[in-house]
Amino acid sequence: MTFNVGIFGASGYTGGELVRLLARHPKARIAFVTSERHAGRPLSDVFPHLGGIPELICRPLTDFKATTECDVAFCALPHLTSMDAVPELLERGVRVVDLSADFRLRDEEQFRAWYGEEHRAPALLEEAVYGLPELGDRKAIAGARLIANPGCYPTSILLALGPLLREKAIETETLVIDSKSGVSGAGRSAAQGSLYAEVAEGFRAYKTTGHRHTPEIEQELTRLAGSEIRVRFSPHLLPQSRGILSTCYVRPRLPLTEKEWRDLLATHYRDEPFVQVLPVGQYPTTLQVRGSNRCVLSVALDGRTGWLVVLSVIDNLVKGASGQAVQNMNLLMGVEESAGLEQLPLYP
Amino acid sequence: MTFNVGIFGASGYTGGELVRLLARHPKARIAFVTSERHAGRPLSDVFPHLGGIPELICRPLTDFKATTECDVAFCALPHLTSMDAVPELLERGVRVVDLSADFRLRDEEQFRAWYGEEHRAPALLEEAVYGLPELGDRKAIAGARLIANPGCYPTSILLALGPLLREKAIETETLVIDSKSGVSGAGRSAAQGSLYAEVAEGFRAYKTTGHRHTPEIEQELTRLAGSEIRVRFSPHLLPQSRGILSTCYVRPRLPLTEKEWRDLLATHYRDEPFVQVLPVGQYPTTLQVRGSNRCVLSVALDGRTGWLVVLSVIDNLVKGASGQAVQNMNLLMGVEESAGLEQLPLYP
Amino acid sequence: MTFNVGIFGASGYTGGELVRLLARHPKARIAFVTSERHAGRPLSDVFPHLGGIPELICRPLTDFKATTECDVAFCALPHLTSMDAVPELLERGVRVVDLSADFRLRDEEQFRAWYGEEHRAPALLEEAVYGLPELGDRKAIAGARLIANPGCYPTSILLALGPLLREKAIETETLVIDSKSGVSGAGRSAAQGSLYAEVAEGFRAYKTTGHRHTPEIEQELTRLAGSEIRVRFSPHLLPQSRGILSTCYVRPRLPLTEKEWRDLLATHYRDEPFVQVLPVGQYPTTLQVRGSNRCVLSVALDGRTGWLVVLSVIDNLVKGASGQAVQNMNLLMGVEESAGLEQLPLYP
Amino acid sequence: MTFNVGIFGASGYTGGELVRLLARHPKARIAFVTSERHAGRPLSDVFPHLGGIPELICRPLTDFKATTECDVAFCALPHLTSMDAVPELLERGVRVVDLSADFRLRDEEQFRAWYGEEHRAPALLEEAVYGLPELGDRKAIAGARLIANPGCYPTSILLALGPLLREKAIETETLVIDSKSGVSGAGRSAAQGSLYAEVAEGFRAYKTTGHRHTPEIEQELTRLAGSEIRVRFSPHLLPQSRGILSTCYVRPRLPLTEKEWRDLLATHYRDEPFVQVLPVGQYPTTLQVRGSNRCVLSVALDGRTGWLVVLSVIDNLVKGASGQAVQNMNLLMGVEESAGLEQLPLYP
């Protein structure tokens, strides 16, 4: 009835968020957590908010024997580290949801170009299933050995533009995407740029031309559009902890009204529990999805210039990472897709 | 098996928080919500984060007939308004958890002195049961018609000092309490002093000598101590949305070590699911209780000056208001005390 | 040697900022301030940070006789109010720097279309000089009776794109501008949407298709380009008090390298004390201009998609409002253009 | 007419703040800055807001020859590092304002007890003059070779309580001080506890019983009171960048009214340009001193319990560090005490 999960790399924000969600999951049981840096210490020393749950003691990262205790392993290790751990996990027969970027790109060449290293498990690139259930193949996810959990920016953008490209409703040449993320997206490592006093009142752009989520966005949009897609993608850093808002500028191919654009999206996501499309004239705020696995979308059509704007918000740590990972795990284990993910957003 | 609840005054922050908690409660069903100002509109127009749950339409405040549809009514109306509504609700046979301050003071005279008005339902002052389960009488709460849900500051302070006074472990003459609250405590009404640009970087004290929670704190501490208690209570406004931290300065009567003070509290709350006492040397942060019904306590003993410091954090909207109200409702309806309140804190 | 200034509408954020700057100006002396709402009270009751300067008592708004006491009047009144006061001021022979939007558009028709009212002083629309010194005619500003002080978003955008359009270096058809502003831009009036608890963690878009700064941006870009310009302009609300960052997406017409684009801007602003162009690879943050009259620009060229991105930051209350107004006053009165504006930014 | 200053340790927040203030000082000229870590790089690489001022290149810390170029040296090095540099500087004949804690305690024994190391220049402990002009001896400061610039918490507390103790107006046994500081007080070093996502919504106490400012506060209060003083001092960390608010709880010895307590302080600071005492009933906010060298005080008398509360706000980086250092330099160099410090606070 219940099954066991292990979390590799539990001391980062996505790891902590996995514990938060899984500790209250109706079917999953956290069998173990690992943290190289905090091995031997209780996880509640690392995350004070986890102080009330049954004691989890961090194991060393490389304690792969632990996999015998779990049915599914979450890999929340840093990029370029995960690709060394995942093959080991798969060999031991455990199914893996990988939250790093290591198995998201299908093309080894692209990986080398954007990450500056050879991939050390290239055979798995093809096997890995990209885990965005709303736009992917749920059967493929359910049957996968290895799920590549999507990036936070890509999730917010694919959910906004995927249906429009699939329907060939917009031009494919002119995609401008301006995204803004809360600072938890930069992780929990101590870095001057993430200090409170540097971030507060200090909105800024970063990696304007070379963010590594770019090829992931393009790969998936290309798949959905059925033709080669390139995007102008600019990430920015918000003075807030959680949340991504992506403002997507596209050129319509179909002559629809604002209401029809809205309905096109709403119809597409009609049966999706985690995607909500706002009525015309309403815009989403990151606060309305905080702590939840939701994505909220809205559209605005600019009659004067002909641009269509699609707005998308998610919580980068939930639908953009750990919540989506749990959603994928649910598909993998054949339980209700929204199990453990029904929590409402925290507002304010 | 399940029962019905109604929420009077759903458009404020405590109202919205009641909906968040009750919408996922295993036994309670929200039968209706009222909001005078937003009557006729869906609650999701008022609170965008409630957009995903089955549509609730705001009824007018005075739609007391609605009470026939519910077993328990939550009254989240403003102070001095609630005392007009509650008698009406009780007459119609519904049990009430009142989140205002109107029924917290037992002494009519005190009410007049601190609120500047005659109480309009004085007979109920005696009947109302003060709903702080960890320090009160759970049987009395379970049997009450009317529960006065404690204030946010009092909750944080009583949980910190109650056991020490009950055990006569500290002096009763020298209680200095310095509390700091997130700005959601000021409510959702538009007020210049609550604007983002006035609050950010603008930590300040307010009502340093006349905050209305003072008599409530004193009444309950007096009850626990068994002797007249007066407190020096200073509230402050934090540049954050949620959370209260109270720093309580007291003089020991018993010659205990720091560890023994810690253990005294820990022993007292041993079986309480919502109160956690930190090990010596650790201090709580408001972030570690955000969104949850927890209170986290710690102690520090200053050997140099002889003062004992007790630190206490809660989320003012949960354990300080709506979460505690649900806890009281659980007792009232004979369900598991922590039902619907098991959510872990949101960190970060 | 010194001259006198009056401030009409001193109780808003731009009014307070004018006082901050002018109280330390080497040549200007604040003769009086007005505030209808606070008439008769010291300005330090309204703005606690002004408590240390010689006492200014708010006069009623309509005390136009006051103009006899000043050489220059700043009009920091709300939009649609200023157009009633300005003619009165001019008639009395005082020169006016108007910080509202009422005299920024030259076309009466446009004004009606975007502001929904007839202009009540249309004759002045033509006379008013648009006060953006870096891209305008400093002689015209110096000789003006009425200066229309630019809007905050337009200032950030015009400084970024003006030189590129003037040089015909970029396409005029495809201008996408994604701007983000601190919440002080919404003013100091109590509004639920500006509350701390609604803004914090709540980044959002607003007025995505109809913001009133749009025609002002287009009018000035059209003037600079020498051909009709339309822009896709999307404003967003940041969880911070001050600062605007505009991310401008344009298509190059000239085949320049990233370094050449950077140098084109740097050369254009070579002699400007308030505009700084960053080296290639650096991006601005709103924190680095806070409290100062600076604009910091940078460029990024995306070789993959052909888009050029121009980033621009200002402090919306200084270069975006009151600082620029003082800069215009300096030109008007023939003093050093940077007088009273040399303060360095406050970081952090 | 003008004189030269050097800044040792310019890459921290207090160093950056010294540059901000001194770059606009009418008499001082920054001759050089040092930063071990950034030696050879322009200071504007380290602090983007300093990009507009004439280029300063960081020299290595140990470039003590530089002292020949300056009349006054500011030492903004970390605690326990400064005591190695200062003797070297003094030997070379330069006068020093030291912003570290190394020369604030007069008692070598105390230093060892609180800092855990032997003092390596104990002879200077007696010579150093504690630089709090409002409560010290301005002649002594003016004549000093070495000024120990006060700590941030001590400055806020001494200005609040100093006059009351000097007048023997309050009890000396029962001093409870609850202080709250913005996170810039923790410096600019990357540390997990100072990350945005850990600080936002995460108000907390720290070092409740052993903060190293305690002996400094006690030493100076003892001097002012003329009798041994011990304080119960609790620091807390605010989710904001700048500002300290200290809430001081004391027991009156004199039977004064609230107004008389207020006037006692106001009279004491009558001629002080940087200290403001609010009217009865008003409370200060950290926002009203941000970026300025001011301290704002107010009092509240609790008739019910007999406690007197004194509230004090400063900007920890200005009056609590670099502004006060400039004030001391002014005294040292015989220029106007407020030279370069007349900037008004930035609000909001």
Side-chain angles (χ1 to χ4, degrees):
Chain A
M1 212 75 233
T2 65
F3 52 88
N4 291 318
V5 301
I7 300 169
F8 286 84
S11 65
Y13 287 136
T14 52
E17 197 68 354
L18 282 169
V19 174
R20 179 177 76 92
L21 296 169
L22 291 165
R24 294 294 180 262
H25 192 282
K27 304 290 182 183
R29 199 187 65 85
I30 302 176
F32 64 89
V33 298
T34 84
S35 164
E36 193 59 24
R37 202 165 139 210
H38 301 286
R41 296 171 55 200
L43 189 61
S44 59
D45 273 16
V46 181
F47 280 120
H49 70 301
L50 299 178
I53 60 167
E55 210 60 287
L56 290 166
I57 306 296
C58 297
R59 302 193 188 176
L61 166 59
T62 48
D63 185 3
F64 292 128
K65 285 165 297 181
T67 53
T68 58
E69 300 166 40
C70 72
D71 300 289
V72 180
F74 291 92
C75 209
L77 302 172
H79 305 322
L80 303 173
T81 304
S82 205
M83 66 179 167
D84 293 325
V86 164
E88 181 93 35
L89 295 174
L90 292 176
E91 260 170 50
R92 288 164 187 273
V94 72
R95 299 169 83 180
V96 176
V97 180
D98 181 47
L99 286 86
S100 84
D102 287 2
F103 297 96
R104 293 181 195 149
L105 299 184
R106 300 180 70 78
D107 181 352
E108 204 179 334
E109 198 60 48
Q110 283 272 8
F111 187 88
R112 189 186 307 116
W114 288 88
Y115 288 87
E117 289 192 19
E118 291 294 324
H119 203 287
R120 290 185 293 278
L124 291 174
L125 291 182
E126 203 170 338
E127 179 183 345
V129 176
Y130 191 77
L132 186 54
E134 288 84 356
L135 294 172
D137 176 350
R138 283 180 160 105
K139 269 194 208 143
I141 294 173
R145 274 206 316 165
L146 170 58
I147 293 172
N149 206 59
C152 50
Y153 285 122
T155 296
S156 77
I157 294 162
L158 297 173
L159 289 172
L161 300 186
L164 305 183
L165 284 168
R166 206 177 239 171
E167 306 281 342
K168 307 204 182 305
I170 57 173
E171 303 286 345
T172 56
E173 307 291 294
T174 332
L175 302 174
V176 174
I177 300 164
D178 193 283
S179 293
K180 302 86 175 174
S181 173
V183 71
S184 64
R188 209 186 184 196
S189 306
Q192 193 184 75
S194 302
L195 291 180
Y196 185 93
E198 303 286 322
V199 170
E201 295 284 310
F203 182 69
R204 59 181 193 262
Y206 70 102
K207 293 188 191 157
T208 301
T209 49
H211 194 283
R212 288 166 168 183
H213 281 176
T214 310
E216 179 183 343
I217 297 163
E218 293 181 345
Q219 165 185 293
E220 293 303 306
L221 289 182
T222 294
R223 185 178 61 75
L224 290 158
S227 66
E228 186 75 14
I229 300 285
R230 292 222 157 164
V231 295
R232 169 82 288 280
F233 168 59
S234 301
H236 299 75
L237 186 68
L238 286 169
Q240 65 183 45
S241 293
R242 288 178 182 238
I244 285 179
L245 186 149
S246 290
T247 311
C248 307
Y249 300 91
V250 301
R251 310 286 311 179
R253 183 178 278 167
L254 304 183
L256 306 184
T257 65
E258 195 169 42
K259 176 71 164 58
E260 289 165 337
W261 285 110
R262 187 264 169 199
D263 289 346
L264 189 159
L265 280 177
T267 303
H268 192 273
Y269 290 120
R270 196 178 28 206
D271 301 323
E272 293 296 342
F274 297 123
V275 184
Q276 182 188 353
V277 184
L278 294 179
V280 159
Q282 289 186 18
Y283 302 122
T285 154
T286 53
L287 193 52
Q288 86 189 87
V289 297
R290 183 171 58 164
S292 84
N293 199 47
R294 287 190 196 167
C295 173
V296 178
L297 303 172
S298 77
V299 302
L301 181 65
D302 181 2
R304 297 172 62 260
T305 62
W307 287 92
L308 176 69
V309 184
V310 189
L311 296 160
S312 166
V313 298
I314 58 168
D315 181 325
N316 57 304
L317 294 180
V318 190
K319 185 61 180 168
S322 306
Q324 187 142 269
V326 170
Q327 188 180 352
N328 282 317
M329 174 202 76
N330 287 340
L331 289 168
L332 215 54
M333 301 305 292
V335 303
E336 185 66 39
E337 188 169 332
S338 57
L341 297 170
E342 282 155 350
Q343 204 165 89
L344 287 169
L346 193 70
Y347 186 104
Chain B
M1 213 72 235
T2 66
F3 51 89
N4 291 317
V5 301
I7 300 169
F8 286 83
S11 66
Y13 286 136
T14 52
E17 197 69 353
L18 282 169
V19 174
R20 179 177 76 91
L21 296 169
L22 291 165
R24 294 292 179 263
H25 193 283
K27 303 289 181 185
R29 198 187 65 85
I30 302 175
F32 63 89
V33 298
T34 84
S35 165
E36 194 59 25
R37 202 165 138 210
H38 302 287
R41 295 170 56 200
L43 188 61
S44 59
D45 274 16
V46 181
F47 280 120
H49 70 301
L50 299 178
I53 62 167
E55 209 60 287
L56 290 166
I57 306 296
C58 298
R59 301 193 189 177
L61 166 59
T62 49
D63 186 4
F64 292 127
K65 286 165 298 182
T67 54
T68 58
E69 300 166 39
C70 72
D71 300 289
V72 181
F74 291 92
C75 209
L77 301 171
H79 306 322
L80 303 173
T81 304
S82 204
M83 65 180 168
D84 294 325
V86 164
E88 181 92 33
L89 296 174
L90 292 176
E91 260 169 49
R92 289 165 188 271
V94 72
R95 300 169 83 181
V96 176
V97 180
D98 182 48
L99 286 86
S100 85
D102 287 1
F103 297 96
R104 292 180 196 151
L105 299 184
R106 300 179 70 77
D107 180 353
E108 205 180 332
E109 198 60 50
Q110 283 271 7
F111 187 88
R112 189 186 306 115
W114 288 88
Y115 288 88
E117 290 193 19
E118 291 294 323
H119 203 287
R120 291 186 291 279
L124 291 174
L125 290 181
E126 205 171 335
E127 180 184 345
V129 176
Y130 191 77
L132 186 55
E134 289 84 357
L135 294 171
D137 177 350
R138 284 183 160 102
K139 269 193 207 144
I141 294 173
R145 274 206 314 164
L146 170 58
I147 293 171
N149 205 59
C152 51
Y153 286 122
T155 296
S156 78
I157 294 161
L158 297 173
L159 290 172
L161 299 186
L164 305 182
L165 285 168
R166 205 177 240 172
E167 305 280 344
K168 306 202 183 307
I170 56 174
E171 303 287 345
T172 57
E173 307 291 293
T174 332
L175 303 173
V176 175
I177 300 164
D178 192 282
S179 293
K180 303 89 177 171
S181 174
V183 72
S184 64
R188 209 187 184 194
S189 305
Q192 194 184 74
S194 302
L195 291 180
Y196 186 92
E198 302 287 321
V199 170
E201 295 285 309
F203 182 69
R204 60 183 192 262
Y206 70 102
K207 295 188 189 156
T208 301
T209 50
H211 194 284
R212 288 166 167 183
H213 281 176
T214 310
E216 179 183 343
I217 297 164
E218 293 181 345
Q219 165 185 290
E220 294 303 306
L221 289 181
T222 295
R223 185 179 61 75
L224 290 159
S227 66
E228 185 75 16
I229 300 284
R230 292 220 156 166
V231 296
R232 170 82 288 282
F233 168 59
S234 301
H236 299 75
L237 187 68
L238 286 170
Q240 64 184 45
S241 293
R242 289 178 180 237
I244 286 180
L245 186 149
S246 291
T247 311
C248 307
Y249 300 90
V250 301
R251 308 287 311 180
R253 183 178 277 166
L254 304 182
L256 306 183
T257 65
E258 195 167 43
K259 175 72 164 53
E260 289 166 338
W261 284 109
R262 186 265 167 198
D263 290 346
L264 189 158
L265 280 177
T267 303
H268 192 274
Y269 290 120
R270 196 180 25 207
D271 300 324
E272 293 297 344
F274 297 125
V275 184
Q276 182 189 353
V277 184
L278 294 179
V280 160
Q282 290 185 18
Y283 302 122
T285 155
T286 54
L287 192 53
Q288 86 188 90
V289 297
R290 182 170 60 164
S292 84
N293 199 47
R294 288 188 195 168
C295 173
V296 178
L297 303 172
S298 76
V299 302
L301 181 65
D302 181 3
R304 297 173 61 259
T305 62
W307 286 93
L308 176 69
V309 185
V310 189
L311 296 159
S312 165
V313 297
I314 58 168
D315 181 324
N316 57 303
L317 294 180
V318 190
K319 185 61 180 167
S322 305
Q324 186 142 267
V326 170
Q327 187 181 353
N328 282 317
M329 175 202 76
N330 287 340
L331 289 168
L332 216 54
M333 300 307 291
V335 305
E336 185 66 40
E337 188 170 330
S338 57
L341 297 170
E342 282 156 349
Q343 205 167 88
L344 287 170
L346 194 69
Y347 187 103
Chain C
M1 213 73 233
T2 64
F3 53 89
N4 291 317
V5 302
I7 299 169
F8 286 85
S11 65
Y13 286 136
T14 52
E17 196 69 353
L18 282 168
V19 175
R20 179 178 76 92
L21 296 169
L22 291 164
R24 294 294 180 261
H25 193 281
K27 303 290 181 185
R29 199 187 65 85
I30 302 174
F32 64 89
V33 298
T34 84
S35 164
E36 194 59 24
R37 201 163 139 211
H38 302 285
R41 295 170 58 198
L43 189 60
S44 59
D45 274 16
V46 181
F47 280 120
H49 69 300
L50 300 177
I53 61 168
E55 210 59 289
L56 290 166
I57 306 295
C58 297
R59 301 191 188 179
L61 167 58
T62 49
D63 185 3
F64 292 128
K65 288 166 296 184
T67 55
T68 59
E69 300 165 37
C70 72
D71 302 288
V72 181
F74 291 91
C75 211
L77 301 171
H79 306 322
L80 303 173
T81 305
S82 206
M83 67 179 169
D84 294 324
V86 164
E88 182 92 34
L89 296 173
L90 292 175
E91 260 169 49
R92 289 166 186 271
V94 72
R95 299 169 83 181
V96 176
V97 181
D98 182 48
L99 286 86
S100 84
D102 286 2
F103 297 96
R104 293 180 195 151
L105 298 184
R106 301 180 70 78
D107 181 353
E108 207 180 331
E109 198 61 50
Q110 282 271 6
F111 186 87
R112 190 186 308 116
W114 288 86
Y115 287 88
E117 289 192 19
E118 290 296 321
H119 202 287
R120 291 186 291 278
L124 291 174
L125 289 181
E126 203 170 338
E127 180 184 345
V129 176
Y130 191 77
L132 186 55
E134 289 83 356
L135 294 172
D137 176 350
R138 282 181 161 102
K139 269 193 206 142
I141 294 173
R145 275 205 316 162
L146 170 58
I147 293 171
N149 206 59
C152 50
Y153 286 122
T155 296
S156 77
I157 293 162
L158 297 173
L159 290 172
L161 299 186
L164 306 183
L165 284 168
R166 205 177 239 169
E167 304 282 344
K168 307 203 183 306
I170 56 174
E171 302 288 344
T172 57
E173 308 291 294
T174 331
L175 302 173
V176 175
I177 301 164
D178 192 284
S179 293
K180 302 87 177 174
S181 173
V183 71
S184 65
R188 209 188 185 196
S189 305
Q192 193 184 75
S194 302
L195 292 180
Y196 186 92
E198 302 287 322
V199 171
E201 295 285 311
F203 182 69
R204 60 181 190 261
Y206 70 103
K207 292 187 191 159
T208 301
T209 49
H211 194 282
R212 287 166 168 183
H213 282 177
T214 309
E216 178 183 344
I217 296 163
E218 292 181 345
Q219 166 185 290
E220 293 304 306
L221 288 182
T222 294
R223 185 179 60 75
L224 290 158
S227 66
E228 185 76 14
I229 299 285
R230 293 223 155 164
V231 296
R232 169 82 288 278
F233 168 59
S234 300
H236 299 75
L237 186 68
L238 286 170
Q240 62 183 48
S241 292
R242 287 177 182 240
I244 285 179
L245 186 150
S246 290
T247 310
C248 307
Y249 299 90
V250 301
R251 308 287 312 180
R253 182 178 280 167
L254 303 182
L256 306 183
T257 64
E258 194 168 42
K259 177 73 165 53
E260 288 166 338
W261 285 110
R262 187 265 167 198
D263 290 346
L264 189 157
L265 280 176
T267 303
H268 192 274
Y269 290 120
R270 193 179 30 207
D271 300 323
E272 292 297 342
F274 297 124
V275 184
Q276 183 190 352
V277 184
L278 294 179
V280 160
Q282 289 185 19
Y283 302 120
T285 154
T286 54
L287 192 53
Q288 86 187 90
V289 296
R290 183 171 59 163
S292 84
N293 200 45
R294 288 189 195 166
C295 173
V296 178
L297 302 172
S298 77
V299 301
L301 181 64
D302 181 3
R304 297 173 60 261
T305 62
W307 287 93
L308 176 69
V309 184
V310 190
L311 295 160
S312 167
V313 296
I314 59 168
D315 182 325
N316 57 305
L317 294 180
V318 190
K319 185 62 178 167
S322 305
Q324 187 142 269
V326 170
Q327 187 180 353
N328 282 317
M329 175 203 76
N330 287 340
L331 289 167
L332 215 54
M333 301 307 291
V335 304
E336 184 67 39
E337 189 171 329
S338 58
L341 296 171
E342 283 155 349
Q343 204 166 90
L344 287 170
L346 193 69
Y347 187 105
Chain D
M1 215 71 237
T2 64
F3 52 89
N4 291 316
V5 302
I7 299 169
F8 286 84
S11 64
Y13 286 136
T14 53
E17 196 69 354
L18 282 168
V19 174
R20 179 177 76 92
L21 296 168
L22 291 165
R24 294 294 179 262
H25 193 282
K27 303 291 180 184
R29 198 187 65 84
I30 302 174
F32 64 88
V33 298
T34 83
S35 165
E36 193 59 24
R37 200 162 138 212
H38 302 285
R41 295 171 56 199
L43 189 60
S44 58
D45 273 16
V46 181
F47 280 120
H49 69 301
L50 300 177
I53 62 168
E55 209 59 288
L56 290 166
I57 306 296
C58 298
R59 300 192 190 177
L61 166 60
T62 48
D63 186 3
F64 292 127
K65 286 165 296 182
T67 55
T68 59
E69 300 165 39
C70 73
D71 300 288
V72 180
F74 290 92
C75 210
L77 301 171
H79 305 322
L80 304 172
T81 304
S82 205
M83 67 179 169
D84 295 324
V86 165
E88 182 93 33
L89 296 174
L90 293 175
E91 259 169 51
R92 289 165 187 272
V94 73
R95 298 170 83 182
V96 176
V97 181
D98 182 47
L99 286 87
S100 84
D102 287 2
F103 297 95
R104 293 180 196 151
L105 299 184
R106 301 179 70 79
D107 181 351
E108 205 180 332
E109 197 61 47
Q110 283 272 8
F111 186 89
R112 190 185 308 117
W114 288 86
Y115 288 87
E117 289 193 17
E118 290 295 322
H119 202 288
R120 291 185 292 277
L124 292 173
L125 290 182
E126 204 170 336
E127 179 184 345
V129 177
Y130 191 77
L132 186 55
E134 288 84 357
L135 294 172
D137 176 351
R138 282 181 161 103
K139 269 194 206 144
I141 294 173
R145 276 206 314 164
L146 169 59
I147 293 172
N149 206 60
C152 51
Y153 286 122
T155 296
S156 77
I157 293 162
L158 297 172
L159 290 171
L161 299 185
L164 305 183
L165 284 168
R166 205 178 240 169
E167 305 282 344
K168 307 205 183 305
I170 57 173
E171 302 287 346
T172 56
E173 308 291 294
T174 333
L175 303 173
V176 175
I177 301 163
D178 192 283
S179 293
K180 301 87 176 173
S181 173
V183 71
S184 64
R188 208 188 185 195
S189 305
Q192 193 185 74
S194 301
L195 292 181
Y196 185 92
E198 302 287 321
V199 170
E201 295 285 309
F203 182 69
R204 60 181 192 261
Y206 70 103
K207 293 186 190 158
T208 301
T209 49
H211 195 282
R212 287 166 167 182
H213 282 176
T214 309
E216 179 183 343
I217 296 163
E218 293 181 345
Q219 166 185 290
E220 294 304 306
L221 289 182
T222 294
R223 184 180 60 75
L224 290 158
S227 66
E228 185 75 15
I229 299 284
R230 292 222 156 162
V231 296
R232 169 84 287 281
F233 167 59
S234 301
H236 300 75
L237 187 69
L238 286 170
Q240 63 184 46
S241 292
R242 287 177 182 241
I244 286 180
L245 186 150
S246 291
T247 310
C248 307
Y249 300 90
V250 302
R251 309 286 312 180
R253 183 178 279 167
L254 303 182
L256 306 183
T257 65
E258 195 168 43
K259 176 72 166 55
E260 289 166 337
W261 284 110
R262 188 265 166 198
D263 290 346
L264 190 157
L265 280 176
T267 304
H268 192 273
Y269 290 120
R270 196 178 29 208
D271 301 323
E272 293 297 343
F274 297 124
V275 185
Q276 183 189 352
V277 184
L278 294 180
V280 159
Q282 291 185 18
Y283 302 121
T285 154
T286 54
L287 193 53
Q288 86 188 92
V289 297
R290 184 171 58 165
S292 84
N293 200 46
R294 288 190 194 167
C295 173
V296 178
L297 302 172
S298 77
V299 303
L301 181 64
D302 181 3
R304 298 172 62 260
T305 61
W307 287 93
L308 176 69
V309 185
V310 189
L311 295 160
S312 167
V313 297
I314 59 169
D315 182 324
N316 57 303
L317 295 180
V318 191
K319 186 61 179 168
S322 305
Q324 186 142 270
V326 170
Q327 187 181 353
N328 282 318
M329 175 203 76
N330 288 340
L331 289 168
L332 215 56
M333 301 307 291
V335 304
E336 185 68 40
E337 189 171 328
S338 57
L341 297 170
E342 283 155 350
Q343 203 166 90
L344 287 170
L346 193 70
Y347 187 105

